[in-house]
């Protein structure tokens, strides 16, 4: 729909996946998490539900599995606004 690009521009804070960010050197993540009653899943959120949390965690797991000795720092909090 026509509204999709507008919503994406307002809500997507990082166009790269977590795995891509880690390949570029990012090791710290500030995750805002919310629950969807519709899908019964946790999501990363910024204004609107954006991406399933599980996808990001799996990307982190893949990266760490392929790069022994690396570590990441995760700050996570519940997004009370949504």
């Amino acid at each position: 729909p026509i509204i999709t690009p507008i919503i994406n521009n307002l809500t997507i804070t990082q166009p790269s996946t977590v795995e891509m960010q880690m390949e570029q050197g990012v090791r710290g993540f500030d995750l805002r998490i919310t629950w969807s009653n519709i899908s019964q899943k946790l999501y990363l959120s910024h204004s609107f539900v954006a991406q399933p949390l599980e996808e990001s965690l799996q990307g982190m797991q893949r990266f760490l599995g392929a790069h022994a000795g690396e570590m990441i720092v995760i700050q996570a909090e519940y997004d009370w606004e949504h």
Side-chain angles (χ1 to χ4, degrees):
I2 195 165
I3 194 77
T4 301
I6 295 169
I7 291 174
N8 284 344
N9 285 336
L10 294 173
T11 61
I12 294 177
T13 58
Q14 177 54 254
S16 301
T17 66
V18 166
E19 204 166 358
M20 290 167 57
Q21 292 176 59
M22 293 179 76
E23 291 290 348
Q24 296 167 356
V26 174
R27 296 297 181 270
F29 296 92
D30 179 15
L31 306 180
R32 306 301 164 95
I33 301 168
T34 192
W35 175 257
S36 169
N37 287 323
I38 296 169
S39 67
Q40 300 290 298
K41 293 182 180 182
L42 291 170
Y43 286 83
L44 296 178
S45 69
H46 183 259
S47 298
F48 296 96
V49 172
Q51 178 180 358
L53 175 61
E54 186 175 5
E55 288 179 19
S56 292
L57 295 177
Q58 288 171 344
M60 292 174 185
Q61 183 179 28
R62 281 190 300 273
F63 179 86
L64 292 172
H67 299 85
E70 291 284 352
M71 67 176 217
I72 57 175
V73 176
I74 299 172
Q75 175 180 320
E77 64 181 81
Y78 187 76
D79 186 359
W80 292 103
E81 294 179 26
H82 305 96

